[in-house]
Amino acid sequence: MNISTVGVVGCGLMGSGIAEIAAKSGFAVKVREVNADALAAGEKRIRKSMDRAVAKEKLSAEDRDAAWARFTFTTEVSDLADCDLVIEAIVEELEAKNELFVALDELCGENTIFASNTSSLTITDMAAATQRADRFVGLHFFNPVPVMKLVEVVRTIATSDETFDRAFAFAKALGKVPIAAKDNSGFVVNLLLVPYMLDAIRQLERGVASVADIDTGMALGCGYPMGPFLLCDFVGIDTLYKISEIMFDEYREERYAPPPLLKRIVTMGRYGRKTGMGFYDWSGDEPVPLPI
Ligand code: CAA
Ligand code: NAD
């Protein structure tokens, strides 16, 4: 069974990137958001990213227009019924994800594969809520999706070989480098990356150095593309908090526990670059560290 039509549910930071690369790779893409405003914001994000690629001469205007013509934008879940693959990229909450997958399970044909882009939930917890656990995988992309080459392809004990192979081939067709991961919370990358980000916050709480100096230290001292606080703002502080809660709940290890400062920042509504404030103020040309 070939994949030709891809559904992407959730068009925030990740969903917009996944939808963009799928359309650019020749797939018909149906994007679903919760309401017209969120849909318009997602559509705008995809447009802006593709226009930027054209301005940088990484994409021709002709290819951008061809990709644009492959999109359908909708607020109706039922419009995804004929998709060959549905990739979920909504908020990191099991209840919301399962509500969506149960609805899709009723609507979609028996050959449709379901995939989640979750950062920290197990695929098993979603697959078990449907009648198609054998056709359920994790497809974990990295932010920013158009740039980052990796996709973790995650199989549960119930995922069929055929489903895994189709998902793996799909990731390759997007020009990504897939790796096979087992279904444990955090898969491969977040198992190591999330404790690092949380530890940076803990060191900030201890007063080791400022946000800017810790970031400069890790970027220049280790050759990382950005320091941990810029990365937190980039990922989304709200999302990092949810990831931390889920991983701590799973492993009960201190290194996954959300530091109190992380919770304070979420409570203040400072979700990072996407809302204009996190550890940094993003309103100007360059991010400026905020008082913590
Ligand atoms: N969309 C599309 N392209 C983008 C982009 C975006 N949002 N942001 C940057 N780019 C492109 C730029 O166009 C540029 O391309 P060219 O070199 O071809 O012109 C390239 O990326 C580099 O961009 P910049 O020169 O503007 O900036 P940079 O050199 O600082 O790179 C970055 C930006 C690629 C984001 C880099 O800083 C980086 O790799 N940061 C770390 C990202 C990371 O660790 N991601 C993983 C997050 S964790 C995760 O995703 C998992 C999870 O579950 C939470
Ligand atoms: P985000 O907050 O930017 O976007 C989530 C979007 O989902 C919002 O636009 C929201 O309106 C929409 N949404 C919520 N419920 C919906 C529903 N039932 N149907 C359709 N749309 C719905 O979040 P994000 O950063 O894009 O994260 C999405 C998922 O990807 C999460 O599971 C997250 O853990 C995972 N992820 C995030 C990153 C990252 O760096 N931010 C990286 C990899 C994976």
Side-chain angles (χ1 to χ4, degrees):
M1 281 297 299
N2 278 337
I3 291 170
S4 54
T5 303
V6 178
V8 177
V9 190
C11 196
L13 278 181
M14 297 303 291
S16 58
I18 297 166
E20 177 187 336
I21 58 164
K24 286 198 295 203
S25 305
F27 296 94
V29 180
K30 295 188 168 188
V31 177
R32 192 254 169 166
E33 257 293 350
V34 273
N35 57 45
D37 285 350
L39 193 63
E43 205 174 324
K44 196 171 152 196
R45 198 176 289 113
I46 298 172
R47 254 288 182 215
K48 198 172 153 192
S49 179
M50 293 210 293
D51 287 347
R52 174 171 143 165
V54 171
K56 288 197 158 192
E57 296 181 349
K58 284 197 270 178
L59 181 72
S60 72
E62 201 178 37
D63 286 348
R64 175 199 54 199
D65 296 344
W68 196 249
R70 293 186 194 106
F71 278 112
T72 306
F73 291 95
T74 181
T75 54
E76 302 296 328
V77 190
S78 55
D79 285 338
L80 305 182
D82 64 349
C83 290
D84 304 307
L85 166 69
V86 179
I87 305 172
E88 167 277 313
I90 69 169
V91 63
E92 187 73 340
E93 285 170 15
L94 182 60
E95 209 175 299
K97 289 186 193 286
N98 278 352
E99 192 184 313
L100 171 74
F101 280 123
V102 166
L104 284 168
D105 203 21
E106 292 274 313
L107 291 163
C108 293
E110 64 174 36
N111 284 316
T112 307
I113 293 176
F114 288 177
S116 173
N117 181 52
T118 182
S119 300
S120 54
L121 292 162
T122 66
I123 302 304
T124 305
D125 276 341
M126 290 170 266
T130 70
Q131 303 302 312
R132 63 179 80 210
D134 56 326
R135 284 150 286 155
F136 211 123
V137 284
L139 277 174
H140 185 220
F141 292 82
F142 290 80
N143 182 16
V145 179
V147 184
M148 305 304 280
K149 292 298 276 183
L150 186 71
V151 178
E152 292 176 313
V153 185
V154 186
R155 68 186 307 162
T156 73
I157 54 171
T159 307
S160 71
D161 289 344
E162 189 201 341
T163 300
F164 181 81
D165 291 346
R166 285 174 73 194
F168 205 84
F170 171 74
K172 280 188 175 169
L174 298 179
K176 299 296 184 193
V177 178
I179 60 169
K182 285 189 183 163
D183 186 32
N184 52 266
S185 170
F187 311 132
V188 176
V189 174
N190 282 345
L191 262 184
L192 300 171
L193 180 65
V194 171
Y196 159 70
M197 293 162 82
L198 300 176
D199 228 14
I201 300 172
R202 277 189 265 275
Q203 300 316 325
L204 182 67
E205 284 175 331
R206 289 179 58 208
V208 161
S210 67
V211 164
D213 283 347
I214 294 174
D215 269 356
T216 303
M218 293 312 292
L220 300 188
C222 298
Y224 290 179
M226 52 174 64
F229 297 108
L230 276 172
L231 190 58
C232 289
D233 273 14
F234 201 67
V235 163
I237 314 272
D238 54 334
T239 302
L240 179 64
Y241 181 62
K242 286 180 200 295
I243 292 171
S244 171
E245 292 252 73
I246 291 164
M247 292 184 80
F248 182 64
D249 191 45
E250 178 79 4
Y251 297 114
R252 309 293 165 115
E253 287 175 29
E254 216 175 314
R255 64 205 204 107
Y256 300 109
L261 178 60
L262 176 61
K263 192 173 179 185
R264 299 291 100 75
I265 295 173
V266 172
T267 307
M268 290 309 290
R270 282 162 49 172
Y271 295 168
R273 192 167 82 147
K274 64 185 172 186
T275 55
M277 276 209 272
F279 287 100
Y280 289 84
D281 178 351
W282 291 86
S283 58
D285 289 343
E286 295 291 327
V288 177
L290 285 163
I292 293 288

